[in-house]
Amino acid sequence: MAHTAEEVQKQVRIYISVFVALMAFTVITVGVSYLHLAVIPAIILALTIATIKGLLVAGYFMHLLSEKKLIYWVLILTLLFFVVLLMIPSLTENEMIRKAFHVS
Amino acid sequence: MSTAIIHYIDEPHPVTGVTNSKLGIWLFLASEVMLFGALFSAYILLRTGSDVWPHGSTLLNVPLATLNTIVLITSSVTMVMAWASLAMNRFSRYQLYMSLTILLSFVFLVVKGFEYGHKFEHHITPATSSFYAIYFTMTGLHGLHIIGGIIVNLYLLLWGSRLWQTNPKQFTGRVEAAGLYWHFVDLVWIFLFPVLYLL
């Protein structure tokens, strides 16, 4: 990660660009919501924009783009647990799986 | 009296390549991902399990929430600028940006307070519906995180900043850790906003 004054100065310019991008995406996501799209496309679009915004914050403000491997592993493990725990209850709602396990 | 010394708080650990403080804050944030993750899962289950689900904008105030999104994103920028100011050895700049961050955090809370107040005036509580139950739980927990961030940032702005005189490296590390937490709180809102208000 950058520590010399010039490198930090360079990063500050990047922070300003990220700030502008985040504002633009906020305006877009609110604007799109007034178009009253169907539920599925609306969800996909809103979550895609939110994910881009989230990646910008994590990548630049939280310095993840220039972070050490260990931090990546911590986050990969966390993401894995999150997805598995998210899927387990959602899958029990799934008709096919309920039938396979004879759950009424 | 013996003093317990925690090693590698101002220089990277040779094995991990990061300070123990940074590893610590990331592990804490990992636990926070699971905490909010559980509530996002609950939201998905409640929504998919119910016959009807209201569109957030018909019940909640989208302009106020948009304002709060802008306020919180701006506070994230001032927070990272506070850290960058320390990295560039400009302490008074740091004080300015940290004060702005705290000010914006209070603005967020006041706006949220108006939103909550308006709901309570109309006798709308978490017991009103599944939508309001998950809305108040998620935004309430997020609000508590904002309050926690304000407390830590106030400490780092006021008496905690004495450390800058004796160990500037460690102090910069503390501000970076507080920043990582603050950006995480911003990140949670980035997802809460569309999920609760726009969908």
Side-chain angles (χ1 to χ4, degrees):
Chain A
M1 211 184 68
H3 276 301
T4 67
E6 294 113 63
E7 278 174 323
V8 176
Q9 193 71 54
K10 218 181 272 172
Q11 284 198 349
V12 167
R13 278 194 287 273
I14 296 173
Y15 297 150
I16 307 295
S17 317
V18 171
F19 174 58
V20 172
L22 288 171
M23 286 297 159
F25 280 120
T26 303
V27 172
I28 292 169
T29 196
V30 174
V32 165
S33 78
Y34 284 102
L35 296 177
H36 295 293
L37 297 172
V39 177
I40 300 296
I43 289 176
I44 292 170
L45 197 60
L47 289 186
T48 305
I49 293 173
T51 305
I52 296 170
K53 286 168 78 181
L55 287 175
L56 283 173
V57 170
Y60 293 101
F61 292 170
M62 300 173 91
H63 307 128
L64 263 189
L65 283 175
S66 51
E67 200 44 271
K68 294 284 180 291
K69 264 200 189 112
L70 179 73
I71 306 291
Y72 290 154
W73 283 115
V74 167
L75 290 176
I76 289 167
L77 194 66
T78 309
L79 208 68
L80 187 76
F81 271 105
F82 170 63
V83 171
V84 168
L85 288 175
L86 176 76
M87 292 311 280
I88 290 172
S90 303
L91 286 177
T92 58
E93 290 286 304
N94 186 296
E95 207 58 38
M96 262 169 62
I97 292 171
R98 286 158 74 99
K99 273 183 190 151
F101 287 93
H102 306 291
V103 187
S104 57
Chain B
M1 203 183 84
S2 66
T3 334
I5 300 169
I6 306 171
H7 295 282
Y8 302 111
I9 44 175
D10 52 7
E11 55 180 311
H13 191 287
V15 176
T16 61
V18 293
T19 59
N20 282 347
S21 329
K22 187 183 264 185
L23 178 60
I25 192 76
W26 272 112
L27 288 174
F28 169 66
L29 292 182
S31 78
E32 291 276 88
V33 169
M34 298 314 286
L35 175 65
F36 280 100
L39 289 172
F40 275 104
S41 306
Y43 169 88
I44 294 169
L45 278 177
L46 282 174
R47 187 167 182 162
T48 53
S50 66
D51 296 329
V52 282
W53 192 265
H55 194 279
S57 65
T58 57
L59 302 176
L60 304 173
N61 193 324
V62 175
L64 272 188
T66 308
L67 171 69
N68 253 355
T69 305
I70 292 168
V71 167
L72 212 54
I73 288 173
T74 312
S75 82
S76 239
V77 180
T78 56
M79 186 77 203
V80 80
M81 291 300 287
W83 167 81
S85 302
L86 287 181
M88 289 187 284
N89 222 353
R90 289 173 170 166
F91 186 70
S92 54
R93 270 286 179 88
Y94 156 75
Q95 287 175 310
L96 172 72
Y97 281 120
M98 194 52 129
S99 308
L100 278 173
T101 307
I102 295 165
L103 186 74
L104 289 165
S105 326
F106 276 111
V107 171
F108 180 91
L109 280 184
V110 168
V111 172
K112 200 82 211 120
F114 273 118
E115 275 191 81
Y116 273 16
H118 189 255
K119 290 283 169 264
F120 294 146
E121 267 173 34
H122 291 80
H123 305 290
I124 292 166
T125 65
T128 305
S129 66
S130 295
F131 175 82
Y132 279 117
I134 197 75
Y135 163 76
F136 278 112
T137 306
M138 293 183 98
T139 56
L141 185 69
H142 181 262
L144 286 176
H145 277 77
I146 298 276
I147 293 170
I150 290 176
I151 293 168
V152 171
N153 286 346
L154 271 175
Y155 170 76
L156 290 173
L157 175 68
L158 303 170
W159 53 97
S161 69
R162 279 185 216 140
L163 185 64
W164 174 254
Q165 310 299 332
T166 52
N167 192 343
K169 238 179 169 179
Q170 192 190 350
F171 183 65
T172 308
R174 280 188 182 176
V175 171
E176 190 184 8
L180 285 171
Y181 169 81
W182 193 250
H183 303 312
F184 173 79
V185 173
D186 182 24
L187 223 158
V188 170
W189 182 259
I190 284 174
F191 282 94
L192 275 183
F193 173 54
V195 164
L196 293 174
Y197 289 82
L198 305 179
L199 292 174

